[in-house]
Amino acid sequence: MRAWLVGVALLVAAGSLLSAQAAPAPVTITLGVDQEVVGLDPHIVTAFSSFRRLDLLYNKLVRYNDQLRIEPDLAESWETPDSRTYVFRLRRGVRFHSGAELTSEDVRFSLERVLDPATRSPGRSYIDAIESVETPDRYTVRIRLRHPLASLLSGLASGNLAIVEKAAVQQHGNLQRTVAGTGPFMLAEWVPDNFMRLVRNPRYFRRGLPRVDQVVFRVIPDQASLLAGVRSGALDMATINQGSVVVQAKREPGVVVLQKPGINLRIFSFNTTRPPFQNPVVRYALSFAIDREAIVQAAELGFAEVSGPIPASVRAYALPANRLPSYRRDTARARRLLAEGGYPNGFSTRIVTSPTYEGGIAVAQVIQAQLREVGVVATLEQVEWGTYIDRWVKRDFDTMVELRGGDPDPDRFLYRTFHSAGAVNNFLFKDEAVDRLLERGRVNLDPERRKPIYEELQVLLVERAPALFLYTPFETQVLRPGLRGFRVVGNGSLYYLEEAQK
């Protein structure tokens, strides 16, 4: 009897072992990034690091494809009966990660939440022309505008306009530590400053996607270590921005470098309420004091393009650098303007920066040296990433090196950033002439009539200088050769990971 029991036990154990061996390991893409997220609520966040996770957790009504053209996302189609009305037809059967079906009520709730001043959403400026959001049925959303808005679809493609589950927001209050989306992956595990594990959404509405079981984000602050991770196979992919590391990656035989011109914009910004930056003459003087091409070479090793207020890669609207005033360095003129502004001997200031790529430490060091040549002594305030974001939000800086999210439509980027009522006008900049041009540009639906408006505006912004516009960096991803199907988007979005496979 005892022998029989032992035999049964051995058979059970063997069966368990065979079962364990038969279960395939999950197919995982491990992605290295240099920054942790700063919250996960799509209607609140501003950091690129947060948006890159949200790309995989949420969807919008529409999105930009890898050619930066608008395409359907949650909306399968739309029509414009007149210049102030948009009607969106939603995909049927889309499920939130909770299992609940997405309906027009969730869309209405999401848009109205962004529009609510209490939410303090940076996306509010994208859609503040909305007068009402109507839901004729479960799968139709009608948006009525107070005036025409040329950039409405562009605004709706923003990560800040992701559609969230109404019931989840009502339960949690905000979504900074939880997820209520429809995206291709679901949040499974998060250890801050270490890793985040996302698992495949089995109900995802794009048939056959995603193609892998999980995506793991690993936070590795050092960019050289990111490349080492791809080289060794510990990482399948890494977002690498540091020019010297990109150069090294291009020389590596065992990695693939995907790169294209980006639409984000590096700027050196001023708090225009603090002395001496209340004076536009002083701000403009510093534009003559810097050498933008030298900054590109030193900070990016050439993997960027000098740019004005509209990202240089947006060829339809961006003025080339040779048509922008103060883009040829002239330290003598900088000194004359400083004297005219009341600072013949220069002045001292502080530059807030963070030791990460987005925080712009390399750019700040070059600017610091260039300003010293015209008598401006700049002290670098290096702060950790969370503190950097907090000070940006609170407008607690004299000057700051930033990386701003650009857009193919000039209104979506410029209005929210430089209009006196703009949601992310962290410069506290107010200029009636700038406001008038911004307001004219956004209501004009004819591209040929919009273009001269934005040409005039670009020159004016360079002269009034709420910020010094520096360059647009390239978007770069470094991959293992076995990772296939991923495409780079000029705005940095990672949602094509849903199509990637190993």
Side-chain angles (χ1 to χ4, degrees):
M1 181 69 174
R2 182 178 178 184
W4 180 83
L5 288 172
V6 170
V8 170
L10 288 172
L11 285 172
V12 170
S16 298
L17 180 60
L18 287 171
S19 176
Q21 290 175 338
V27 179
T28 303
I29 293 175
T30 304
L31 173 64
V33 295
D34 67 350
Q35 289 179 175
E36 180 56 288
V37 305
V38 187
L40 289 174
D41 191 324
H43 298 164
I44 297 174
V45 299
T46 59
F48 285 99
S49 56
S50 292
F51 283 121
R52 298 297 73 89
R53 317 294 174 90
L54 299 177
D55 290 336
L56 304 182
L57 297 168
Y58 287 89
N59 297 93
K60 291 93 66 176
L61 286 174
V62 296
R63 73 180 189 181
Y64 278 114
N65 64 19
D66 62 322
Q67 301 302 310
L68 293 176
R69 297 190 181 98
I70 294 288
E71 67 178 16
D73 200 8
L74 292 174
E76 62 182 5
S77 65
W78 59 90
E79 58 190 45
T80 53
D82 58 67
S83 63
R84 299 186 184 189
T85 307
Y86 285 73
V87 180
F88 293 89
R89 311 292 181 188
L90 303 181
R91 300 179 191 267
R92 295 173 182 247
V94 175
R95 298 280 171 180
F96 286 105
H97 296 168
S98 67
E101 186 183 21
L102 176 141
T103 72
S104 57
E105 180 58 25
D106 295 293
V107 176
R108 184 194 64 79
F109 174 81
S110 297
L111 298 183
E112 291 183 349
R113 183 174 185 245
V114 170
L115 287 167
D116 184 352
T119 305
R120 298 176 63 87
S121 175
R124 185 169 183 261
S125 290
Y126 302 156
I127 59 169
D128 60 2
I130 291 180
E131 183 175 55
S132 65
V133 182
E134 302 166 4
T135 55
D137 59 53
R138 286 174 63 85
Y139 305 108
T140 303
V141 177
R142 183 183 297 116
I143 295 176
R144 297 191 187 276
L145 306 175
R146 286 190 293 273
H147 55 73
L149 181 60
S151 63
L152 179 66
L153 291 177
S154 176
L156 293 173
S158 162
N160 284 133
L161 271 295
I163 304 305
V164 304
E165 184 180 5
K166 176 180 179 180
V169 176
Q170 291 174 332
Q171 176 184 351
H172 297 287
N174 74 41
L175 303 173
Q176 290 289 61
R177 295 291 166 183
T178 189
V179 175
T182 56
F185 293 92
M186 304 183 295
L187 179 62
E189 190 177 6
W190 180 13
V191 179
D193 297 313
N194 191 342
F195 74 92
M196 178 182 287
R197 184 168 63 90
L198 311 181
V199 297
R200 186 178 190 274
N201 176 6
R203 305 184 187 91
Y204 191 48
F205 60 86
R206 289 190 170 94
R207 185 170 298 178
L209 300 180
R211 292 196 168 104
V212 298
D213 299 309
Q214 56 185 18
V215 172
V216 176
F217 286 84
R218 293 205 175 276
V219 180
I220 302 172
D222 179 66
Q223 297 233 328
S225 298
L226 289 172
L227 177 57
V230 176
R231 184 191 304 119
S232 70
L235 301 175
D236 297 298
M237 175 174 161
T239 301
I240 293 181
N241 310 108
Q242 189 175 317
S244 60
V245 182
V246 174
V247 169
Q248 186 179 352
K250 286 176 175 283
R251 295 172 180 162
E252 293 274 352
V255 302
V256 176
V257 178
L258 300 181
Q259 192 172 60
K260 68 167 48 174
I263 58 170
N264 299 321
L265 185 64
R266 179 71 76 182
I267 63 174
F268 178 52
S269 56
F270 305 113
N271 184 330
T272 64
T273 67
R274 292 188 180 182
F277 303 115
Q278 309 106 312
N279 188 339
V281 174
V282 172
R283 302 194 301 262
Y284 191 42
L286 300 194
S287 187
F288 283 99
I290 65 168
D291 184 335
R292 291 166 173 83
E293 188 58 46
I295 294 171
V296 165
Q297 294 303 321
E300 302 285 349
L301 269 69
F303 296 118
E305 184 176 1
V306 171
S307 181
I310 294 176
S313 56
V314 183
R315 308 295 183 197
Y317 289 99
L319 284 176
N322 61 12
R323 291 183 57 189
L324 293 169
S326 76
Y327 268 58
R328 183 182 294 274
R329 192 183 194 209
D330 187 340
T331 55
R333 186 165 181 186
R335 287 183 178 277
R336 289 197 300 272
L337 286 170
L338 285 172
E340 181 184 329
Y343 294 90
N345 300 315
F347 57 88
S348 296
T349 189
R350 296 169 297 168
I351 304 174
V352 174
T353 183
S354 184
T356 64
Y357 177 76
E358 190 175 337
I361 181 63
V363 177
Q365 290 167 341
V366 181
I367 289 176
Q368 179 187 43
Q370 292 180 351
L371 294 183
R372 190 180 298 120
E373 296 180 39
V374 297
V376 175
V377 178
T379 301
L380 302 189
E381 287 190 75
Q382 293 191 50
V383 298
E384 61 88 21
W385 181 237
T387 302
Y388 175 96
I389 292 295
D390 185 60
R391 292 186 64 173
W392 183 87
V393 169
K394 294 177 179 176
R395 282 69 166 168
D396 181 18
F397 60 88
D398 293 341
T399 72
M400 185 176 240
V401 176
E402 302 183 46
L403 185 64
R404 290 274 178 147
D407 192 82
D409 190 287
D411 173 67
R412 180 183 145 189
F413 174 57
L414 294 177
Y415 186 90
R416 70 179 179 127
T417 309
F418 298 109
H419 193 277
S420 57
V424 288
N425 179 355
N426 297 67
F427 329 96
L428 303 172
F429 173 67
K430 296 181 179 180
D431 187 286
E432 291 183 1
V434 168
D435 281 358
R436 283 195 298 270
L437 288 170
L438 286 167
E439 289 159 6
R440 284 175 56 200
R442 69 181 348 211
V443 301
N444 200 317
L445 304 181
D446 181 351
E448 292 305 313
R449 295 177 64 188
R450 294 180 85 201
K451 189 170 182 176
I453 295 172
Y454 285 109
E455 288 182 352
E456 182 180 351
L457 177 61
Q458 289 171 82
V459 172
L460 187 59
L461 282 170
V462 169
E463 292 174 341
R464 301 293 167 86
L468 304 187
F469 308 97
L470 304 177
Y471 61 83
T472 55
F474 293 172
E475 290 294 332
T476 307
Q477 299 290 341
V478 178
L479 289 67
R480 296 284 298 170
L483 186 63
R484 308 180 307 279
F486 177 76
R487 288 179 271 170
V488 174
V489 184
N491 61 10
S493 295
L494 295 177
Y495 39 70
Y496 282 110
L497 279 172
E498 69 181 27
E499 298 183 12
Q501 56 187 318
K502 294 173 66 176

